[in-house]
Amino acid sequence: TVPAAGAIGVALLIPAAVIDTEQRRLPDAWVITAMAGLATTLAVGSAVGRANGGDVGLVDVAGGAIAMAVPVLVLHLVSPASMGFGDVKAAIVLGAAVGTVDGRLGVVALCLAAGLGATAGLVTRRRTIPFGPFLVAGAWVALLAHVPIAEALFTAGAPS
């Protein structure tokens, strides 16, 4: 199952991804709304004793945010024209959202986003593309397919 906090955090960034496709910007209002929805859902879940629906804690949420956002931040710092700060802020929220399942999924979501974005760029033959939609798509895939991803990447070779 997908934790409600993670699903809400990603779902609330879908409108921002649509805007990014049309206007090449990720509005702060949507990013803040997604973060607030994620934080509120985590807080309510914790208050009723069902934080994240499992044993994943805030370390994983923070780890997912860091794992997904730091590489995007580095790209932004190296080339602000190619990677906007809106992508960095969205990556923080999306990484935290996938971190509700497992913090290591932040890297997986970012790799999925990069692969999807590169494929779209090659297919459309465009030199620049908005990256927000691919960040959201990568996070959705990582959340929805977290069980087979975890089995394939995180438990390979482990004794059963």
Side-chain angles (χ1 to χ4, degrees):
T1 64
V2 174
I8 287 170
V10 176
L12 288 173
L13 276 171
I14 292 173
V18 171
I19 292 168
D20 194 23
T21 300
E22 297 169 352
Q23 301 176 14
R24 302 259 179 160
R25 65 183 193 89
L26 289 162
D28 285 343
W30 282 108
V31 176
I32 292 167
T33 300
M35 180 54 82
L38 173 68
T40 301
T41 309
L42 283 171
V44 169
S46 180
V48 298
R50 295 189 347 212
N52 305 334
D55 60 356
V56 177
L58 290 179
V59 170
D60 280 302
V61 173
I66 291 166
M68 194 163 180
V70 167
V72 177
L73 175 62
V74 169
L75 285 172
H76 170 71
L77 293 173
V78 170
S79 179
S82 64
M83 184 67 67
F85 197 64
D87 294 314
V88 177
K89 293 180 280 187
I92 293 168
V93 176
L94 294 166
V98 298
T100 62
V101 175
D102 187 319
R104 299 172 292 184
L105 285 175
V107 172
V108 173
L110 183 57
C111 289
L112 289 166
L116 292 168
T119 301
L122 288 171
V123 168
T124 61
R125 296 179 162 260
R126 294 186 180 185
R127 294 183 142 257
T128 63
I129 57 169
F131 196 48
F134 301 104
L135 286 170
V136 172
W140 264 128
V141 172
L143 266 181
L144 295 175
H146 70 275
V147 172
I149 289 170
E151 288 175 357
L153 296 178
F154 307 142
T155 61
S160 41

